[in-house]
Amino acid sequence: MALYSQLFLRNTTSPYGDFTRNSVLSFKDLDQNFIFLKERDISNISYSSDTLTIDTLGGNSFTTTISGGTTGGPSIDIYNTYFVSPNGDDTTAVRGDLAKPYQTITAARNQVVADLSASTVTGDTLVYVYPGEYEEVELQYDNGNMYFERGAKVKPFFPPSGSSVDYYKLFIVGSSLDLQSNVYSANTFNTYGYLDVEIPRNEDLGYLWGGYLLDVDNSGKCYFEFNNVDIDAGQGFRANGNGELTLVGNEINVGFADYCMQFTDYSITNVNVNRIIGGTSNFAYATSLSNFRGNCNVNIRELLGRWRGIGLTNMYEGETNINISSGRFETLSGSSNEFIWATDFDGGIARINGSVTSNTGLIRMNRCDAGVLEVNVDYTTYGAGSVVNQIVGSNSTPKFTFKYNGDVRVSGNTGARFNLDDCTNYINGSISSLDGLINTPISNGLNSDLFIENLTIKDVDGDPIIGSGDINVLGGLYVENSLSAVTINGQYQILDKTSIDRLEIRDVQSGTSITNLGIDSNGNVVSGTTGGSGTDTYWTSGSSGNY
């Protein structure tokens, strides 16, 4: 028998590379060992005496016994499963009967809640949705589970004119409902499978927002699995209060506005998404954290941005980790929107890791007074202007701390590439040019303390670091291909190995510390303090000779 016509019980890795699966055949793909035959059309399914029989168009029959449950999810009996199909009938549907599905998800959900209330059903339940398009809203139910087959697509309908709300939400977890009775509200809810979602713009009522996909609030908990999400105008995923959200999916496309993902308050979120395509509106961040005190972990394999990629706003406490395997960012013509937008940082720590290519800057920081932003990103930009742009904070104590680790490659020769001000900064990695020389790699402002642990600056046309802030070389500063002398003055504290192609020591003032330079018997400045055989001479400003 050919491999593709065999049954694969999904408790090992899928031979078909399902990207959202760590294990294949859990109840997420089949309710209680409901079977899918990959690459083989099914002609008939029948169930009798705990035996499920699947007939394929190729003439083969396969059977499996449905009893007990699978690992990785609740044990859901087929009699606790409510099937939904566009060809179903809400009036004749029968629970657990594949041949008599409901026509709408709402009707199936309502029946689940009614059966649980009447105790005609006990234990875990599942709403199983077949391929087709469904226009419905507020589909959740408490302790509920839904599975969406590949090809099942849901989008919200719009409120009628004069409604108290401008849009509806597809799923609400942890708070009261806007349209339906709170009998259908949920504090815990899960979706599995290959759900497709469309959030269209509502132009008929003169209000562009089409709705929300998922809102997790207060103490709500949600595991949400999906295939593709298209947000033409509206909101994708939001977690607020003490809400907990685990998000696993393939692709999110934000076309016009608003947030793709927004996490606030004390929420706990874990996100694993294959691809996110950012939108074209001022608020179309791929990921936005606001008034945040919680814990957030985001993994994105590919992030394609058209406006701002990541927004960090009003960070107070907590910890955020965002990992981007590959990012590509192109700002709109005439705008200057950096890939990462950090404003009003007042505490906590945020880490962003990955690799990004862009035609604009990497980071803008504004009104950041406390906390830590750590960016571990290899960044290539084909646009002029700053890679890192710090706008003055309030000069508070303790200062905001910015840490950068990565290799930066820039194009053009306009402005300081690292524009540092009012922060404690750690810069490590390398800065080099794609197509010429860099006039000002780093500008270190008056209230900025710069710490260098291991930094290489290449292709410099002038001083590698300008400004009046303190410069502390802790582990190594290497300046290569410099066209002019590099000035060492009173702001430098050089504590370890430093290699500079052309070095000029001037205005050595009180407080300057250079611990690894010496003068040999020939009057040459060399590495070390006991002499050497150097051949270059170095001039100290104001002196009467070479030393």
Side-chain angles (χ1 to χ4, degrees):
M1 184 185 300
L3 178 67
Y4 58 76
S5 64
Q6 295 180 3
L7 298 179
F8 289 90
L9 291 179
R10 310 191 88 193
N11 49 22
T12 58
T13 301
S14 169
Y16 299 95
D18 289 350
F19 134 80
T20 58
R21 296 270 179 270
N22 291 324
S23 59
V24 231
L25 273 176
S26 71
F27 93 99
K28 303 171 187 178
D29 259 355
L30 20 130
D31 52 307
Q32 187 133 357
N33 284 342
F34 222 62
I35 304 302
F36 287 83
L37 297 183
K38 302 286 187 178
E39 299 183 11
R40 177 72 73 173
D41 290 331
I42 298 174
S43 62
N44 183 61
I45 300 176
S46 59
Y47 177 77
S48 177
S49 302
D50 292 335
T51 298
L52 183 70
T53 301
I54 302 172
D55 299 320
T56 73
L57 293 178
N60 295 311
S61 258
F62 306 95
T63 61
T64 186
T65 299
I66 298 179
S67 60
T70 60
T71 59
S75 301
I76 300 178
D77 191 282
I78 191 171
Y79 292 115
N80 284 16
T81 301
Y82 298 71
F83 297 98
V84 181
S85 169
N87 297 321
D89 189 325
D90 291 341
T91 62
T92 61
V94 176
R95 178 182 77 244
D97 193 332
L98 287 80
K100 295 182 179 181
Y102 292 84
Q103 186 180 38
T104 65
I105 303 170
T106 300
R109 186 277 313 273
N110 292 353
Q111 191 61 51
V112 175
V113 173
D115 289 348
L116 288 171
S117 177
S119 299
T120 55
V121 165
T122 59
D124 292 305
T125 58
L126 176 70
V127 174
Y128 188 102
V129 183
Y130 286 111
E133 293 195 8
Y134 304 86
E135 192 169 311
E136 308 184 45
V137 297
E138 298 183 3
L139 295 171
Q140 70 297 309
Y141 67 100
D142 198 28
N143 295 314
N145 302 286
M146 290 187 179
Y147 180 87
F148 293 86
E149 277 196 7
R150 193 180 296 277
K153 181 178 182 179
V154 179
K155 68 177 182 179
F157 54 80
F158 303 135
S161 178
S163 295
S164 59
V165 295
D166 294 311
Y167 49 83
Y168 292 133
K169 303 172 183 178
L170 288 181
F171 302 94
I172 300 174
V173 181
S175 62
S176 299
L177 306 184
D178 296 322
L179 174 65
Q180 302 184 25
S181 167
N182 283 319
V183 169
Y184 305 113
S185 64
N187 199 55
T188 300
F189 178 73
N190 306 306
T191 73
Y192 306 98
Y194 305 95
L195 170 64
D196 290 333
V197 173
E198 178 187 356
I199 307 292
R201 66 179 69 188
N202 186 357
E203 295 178 337
D204 293 338
L205 299 180
Y207 194 88
L208 291 178
W209 262 32
Y212 271 57
L213 198 167
L214 171 65
D215 192 2
V216 181
D217 206 349
N218 299 317
S219 58
K221 297 181 180 180
C222 182
Y223 176 93
F224 199 93
E225 218 172 53
F226 66 93
N227 182 36
N228 293 326
V229 171
D230 290 312
I231 307 170
D232 190 22
Q235 175 93 18
F237 303 91
R238 186 171 69 172
N240 313 295
N242 292 299
E244 298 182 20
L245 171 63
T246 297
L247 190 63
V248 180
N250 179 35
E251 180 172 302
I252 306 173
N253 190 329
V254 185
F256 176 74
D258 174 48
Y259 297 101
C260 171
M261 295 182 286
Q262 184 186 30
F263 309 132
T264 69
D265 304 324
Y266 294 90
S267 61
I268 298 174
T269 52
N270 292 282
V271 177
N272 290 278
V273 176
N274 184 36
R275 174 186 292 179
I276 295 178
I277 303 175
T280 57
S281 169
N282 188 37
F283 300 102
Y285 299 105
T287 301
S288 176
L289 297 119
S290 179
N291 300 312
F292 190 70
R293 298 172 173 85
N295 187 283
C296 174
N297 295 285
V298 177
N299 298 293
I300 305 168
R301 189 181 66 82
E302 187 176 20
L303 179 57
L304 310 176
R306 296 197 295 269
W307 195 261
R308 299 170 187 167
I310 298 170
L312 306 170
T313 306
N314 297 116
M315 298 281 292
Y316 292 109
E317 301 172 15
E319 182 174 334
T320 299
N321 297 284
I322 300 175
N323 303 305
I324 305 167
S325 298
S326 175
R328 202 163 66 245
F329 181 67
E330 183 173 353
T331 190
L332 298 177
S333 176
S335 62
S336 57
N337 290 282
E338 288 80 357
F339 185 74
I340 301 167
W341 193 269
T343 60
D344 299 296
F345 236 96
D346 292 304
I349 180 170
R351 300 183 187 89
I352 301 174
N353 310 303
S355 177
V356 176
T357 300
S358 173
N359 70 340
T360 187
L362 175 62
I363 309 165
R364 174 180 289 262
M365 289 167 273
N366 192 13
R367 300 186 303 274
C368 295
D369 298 322
V372 178
L373 173 59
E374 180 179 324
V375 178
N376 307 301
V377 172
D378 291 330
Y379 194 72
T380 300
T381 176
Y382 296 94
S386 298
V387 173
V388 175
N389 190 18
Q390 293 177 350
I391 300 176
V392 178
S394 62
N395 195 23
S396 62
T397 302
K399 288 183 177 180
F400 174 71
T401 298
F402 172 67
K403 298 181 178 180
Y404 182 84
N405 302 282
D407 297 324
V408 174
R409 299 190 302 162
V410 301
S411 177
N413 192 12
T414 304
R417 294 318 179 115
F418 281 71
N419 188 18
L420 310 177
D421 195 3
D422 236 358
C423 300
T424 299
N425 295 284
Y426 293 81
I427 309 295
N428 297 291
S430 69
I431 305 172
S432 62
S433 175
L434 293 168
D435 53 13
L437 297 171
I438 308 171
N439 180 260
T440 307
I442 299 176
S443 175
N444 196 42
L446 176 63
N447 295 316
S448 173
D449 296 324
L450 173 60
F451 295 87
I452 295 172
E453 293 173 330
N454 192 344
L455 176 64
T456 298
I457 302 176
K458 301 180 180 180
D459 312 316
V460 182
D461 181 12
D463 286 339
I465 304 173
I466 65 170
S468 56
D470 290 339
I471 303 167
N472 305 278
V473 182
L474 305 179
L477 170 63
Y478 307 92
V479 181
E480 303 176 7
N481 305 330
S482 176
L483 290 186
S484 59
V486 175
T487 302
I488 298 292
N489 55 32
Q491 71 191 103
Y492 278 82
Q493 307 296 317
I494 300 177
L495 306 179
D496 208 331
K497 181 178 180 181
T498 299
S499 173
I500 299 176
D501 281 356
R502 303 179 66 188
L503 173 65
E504 179 180 355
I505 302 175
R506 66 166 62 181
D507 302 328
V508 180
Q509 302 169 4
S510 175
T512 298
S513 173
I514 303 176
T515 61
N516 206 26
L517 294 178
I519 301 175
D520 68 7
S521 58
N522 296 320
N524 299 310
V525 177
V526 297
S527 176
T529 59
T530 59
S533 58
T535 58
D536 295 330
T537 58
Y538 296 79
W539 184 268
T540 58
S541 178
S543 65
S544 58
N546 294 333
Y547 291 87

